[in-house]
Amino acid sequence: METKLVKIAQLAKDRPKEQFTSLIHLLDEEALYMCHQELKGNKAVGMDEVTKARYEENLCMNLKNLHHSLRQMAYKPQPVRRVYIPKPGSKKMRPLGIPAYEDKIVQLGVSKILSAIYEQDFLNSSFGFRPGLGCHDALRMLNTTIMTKKTNWVVDADISGFFDHVDHSWMMKCLEVRIKDCKLLQLIQRMLKAGMMEEGVLRQTEQGTPQGGIISPVLANVYLHYVLDLWFEKRMKKQYRGQTHMVRYADDFVCCFQSEGEAQNFYLQLKDRLKKFNLEIAPEKSKIIEFGQFAAQNKGNRGEGKPETFDFLGFTHYCGKSRNGISSRPQSNESMDKGQSNPAGQITHRSAQSKTHWTLQVLRHHRQWSNAVEILVRYNEIAI
């Protein structure tokens, strides 16, 4: 499967408007076995209560039957088991959907196929749940943007309950831009519509893609690639005269602007854009602030005190000044108490002109969690 995925990835890169018509056959017995081997044995079980060890008791027959059901399009995912875990930095609980074991195998196989195609399309501003990229890469990009670009204003926006409100109809339209394999699309749609079991009650899933599912991260990235990333890159940037930049990690993103007016205009248009796709901004978690190389000086001249802060990926970003213009290392609560540097690594930049730095202070441990493609004409309403 891996060799075939490499070829598909290269084709997707060479032909950015190519629609793939034959993909479901990649989920053969060998591929299913490889996916089974990759799954960890200590993960929570789904509704079937089947563990990896138990599935291996009759592995050959189980995989043969699973492959046969996929070929005959008789495979139907089981409802996910809804559980709740503590949300970092909050008293709220985060809902998770735990798939059945065979569904985990199939989801992993499908996510590999989708990643091979869409990794060639995703923009350099997207970092979440992508191979070789992580939180620190997103933070470095944001730090570099603030330190070296003409950033004066920051739009810190939060999408309210993103994973619970992904519109299934729009999700399928996004996938159809690149995928024309009806059987694979039908399989993904069945995953989205599988339902969830919560406290013994079966609930239908008319929208959303449950956090906890293996396929959810790549589906979320595909959705936001068209809903947000391409829209920002292809339309918003062309509307504005000043510099504009975005850094996104999954559904968490920050946009940087040179002009206050353009930041305000973007925030208004962002609300309308998300509304079209059944999403909305969480107003209590979103704001527009003056932030950049000259923010502290400008606010001081106006007698307005220090610039506001904003949070991104578990870090609170402060705008201030230092004698030598070198930014300090990000530090966790524990390491700051002990006067030790954060082992995560150093994010530094020398600004001789303004001698301004951003102190990135860890308030909580961060979550574990390019080629742009034009939208095909028949789906041009998705992005631009």
Side-chain angles (χ1 to χ4, degrees), residues 330-337 340-343 361-365:
Q331 296 180 321
S332 68
N333 288 335
E334 294 180 0
S335 62
M336 283 191 294
D337 292 340
Q340 298 173 347
S341 63
N342 188 325
Q361 181 181 16
V362 179
L363 297 183
R364 60 188 181 274
H365 291 298

Side-chain angles (χ1 to χ4, degrees), residues 14-63:
D14 294 340
R15 303 178 185 178
K17 294 186 179 182
E18 181 78 13
Q19 287 184 297
F20 293 85
T21 58
S22 181
L23 296 170
I24 192 72
H25 71 278
L26 296 173
L27 297 176
D28 54 21
E29 284 189 50
E30 180 183 358
L32 296 174
Y33 173 76
M34 291 174 58
C35 291
H36 160 75
Q37 291 293 94
E38 288 185 34
L39 293 175
K40 296 181 179 180
N42 60 348
K43 295 298 183 179
V45 297
M47 261 188 56
D48 58 350
E49 298 185 348
V50 174
T51 62
K52 182 175 182 177
R54 182 179 169 186
Y55 195 79
E56 285 179 337
E57 293 175 2
N58 195 13
L59 182 59
C60 291
M61 184 56 66
N62 286 336
L63 292 178

Side-chain angles (χ1 to χ4, degrees), residues 121-236:
D121 295 350
F122 292 152
L123 305 188
N124 291 334
S125 57
S126 170
F127 292 89
F129 310 118
R130 296 185 58 192
L133 297 175
C135 294
H136 295 150
D137 300 294
L139 289 167
R140 289 189 188 97
M141 174 65 79
L142 179 59
N143 183 68
T144 299
T145 299
I146 293 173
M147 294 292 290
T148 64
K149 308 298 181 182
K150 295 180 180 179
T151 296
N152 298 316
W153 293 85
V154 165
V155 176
D156 178 23
D158 185 273
I159 301 177
S160 180
F162 169 74
F163 284 91
D164 292 331
H165 294 94
V166 171
D167 186 281
H168 291 175
S169 176
W170 279 114
M171 180 78 257
M172 299 311 298
K173 285 185 178 181
C174 291
L175 291 169
E176 287 168 1
V177 173
R178 284 294 239 160
I179 298 174
K180 211 171 182 179
D181 186 330
C182 296
K183 291 185 177 181
L184 183 64
L185 291 172
Q186 185 178 349
L187 177 60
I188 295 173
Q189 191 163 37
R190 287 180 180 180
M191 292 177 182
L192 294 173
K193 301 291 186 183
M196 67 177 64
M197 185 69 71
E198 183 175 1
E199 297 181 348
V201 179
L202 177 62
R203 305 179 187 275
Q204 300 299 320
T205 48
E206 299 301 329
Q207 61 180 4
T209 172
Q211 289 180 272
I214 295 174
I215 199 172
S216 292
V218 67
L219 289 181
N221 271 336
V222 170
Y223 199 74
L224 288 176
H225 172 69
Y226 293 113
V227 172
L228 186 61
D229 298 354
L230 283 179
W231 173 72
F232 184 85
E233 187 71 23
K234 298 294 184 180
R235 174 177 288 185
M236 293 296 98

